Amino acid sequence: MKEISILGFGNMGKQITALFYLMGYEVKIYNKSPICIQDCDKFIKILSKKLDFSAFEKGSMQVIKELDKITRCIVVESLEENLELKLHYITQLKQNHNQIFSNSSSFSVKDLDCALLHFFNPIFIPLVEYSHDNILLKDLEKIGFYLLHSKTNRGALGNLLLFHEISTFFKMIEVWNYPYEDCQKIYDLLYDKRNIFNIIDTIGIELCDIICQNIKEQDPSFYHPKIFKKALSCGILGKKNKTRLATLFN
């Protein structure tokens, strides 16, 4: 059976685990704090309905309690978006001859000193960004994923495009003083009611703030919306705690 290890069991770690389990991999999961492997079940059900896994038999899932037990393996890192934390674990895993890929939303391969394999949330969006060819890509292609080769910038392509859009939307409100209602009306009439706020709530406001910060570090001209800090100070996190960014404008 094909093997893969997942480092981190947050929202994306659970989804990545479910994805590779359905593609027939023996998935080993490491998380610093105790986890319940059954937390993947809802993602397995959702993915089974959204993507075609008929070419694969289901794999297996196993919790690994010691990081040193992961050796000579393909590892997908899915920790929180904290560079110091990521590098701490990536360095350890490299010592055990593992092939490491990061699911980072905003750090570059140069920052991480490892390859990129970035999935989107929710993971049934059939798009994956990668920096280096690897054996996982063929299986992902079989279930309909579009493989997008990433360059060395922070945010790769998908998040760089998305967060420049988010940045511009809030720059119109915060800098140019356009009413929120007018900005949303533009989206309603010109862009088929595309809702920036729903996208942000799904990603998570804390992560959006971090991604903007990391992009701005590389590109000082990027506008970092102030609304995220205001939301966090009010306890508004998005879907994570069933709150909505748009309530700040109501």
Side-chain angles (χ1 to χ4, degrees), residues 215-233:
I215 292 173
K216 188 172 179 63
E217 283 181 3
Q218 189 171 66
D219 178 7
S221 68
F222 178 84
Y223 180 75
H224 185 167
K226 297 175 182 178
I227 190 69
F228 297 143
K229 287 285 194 297
K230 181 178 179 181
L232 294 171
S233 70

Side-chain angles (χ1 to χ4, degrees), residues 182-194:
D182 288 352
C183 293
Q184 187 56 55
K185 182 60 70 175
I186 292 292
Y187 272 78
D188 292 345
L189 297 175
L190 296 185
Y191 304 118
D192 196 27
K193 298 185 178 181
R194 177 172 167 82

